[in-house]
Amino acid sequence: MTEAARYSADEERTLRAAVTAGQAPICPRCSVPMTTRSIGGGSFGLGYHRQREWLLCPTCKRSAIFDTKRGTRL
């Protein structure tokens, strides 16, 4: 049986808490610093512009995307 390619809900909460606290995110599976990329999207004029953070692990290649303002997983 192969390991799931996604983080568990608990792992994503840990990552979100680290980012919200201003800490560098560490991969919960590999314990290595993650790469962070900001992602913008939507339209300023239409009311659905979002700022998101994309966290990527350089070792296991897992990733998570969070809405920066709401702190929620997308």
Side-chain angles (χ1 to χ4, degrees):
M1 188 173 232
T2 61
E3 190 175 339
R6 293 189 59 171
Y7 290 115
S8 70
D10 287 338
E11 290 169 328
E12 288 185 358
R13 276 190 287 277
T14 300
L15 287 169
R16 184 173 50 250
V19 171
T20 302
Q23 301 170 350
I26 303 295
C27 177
R29 302 274 174 108
C30 304
S31 300
V32 299
M34 298 181 77
T35 302
T36 303
R37 293 193 180 149
S38 293
I39 302 172
S43 171
F44 287 106
L46 298 177
Y48 58 87
H49 178 74
R50 291 188 177 169
Q51 287 298 109
R52 295 170 279 182
E53 291 289 322
W54 186 14
L55 307 176
L56 302 115
C57 177
T59 303
C60 70
K61 308 298 185 206
R62 286 178 175 80
S63 68
I65 297 176
F66 299 100
D67 187 301
T68 306
K69 232 177 199 180
R70 296 184 307 166
T72 56
R73 182 180 158 278
L74 297 178

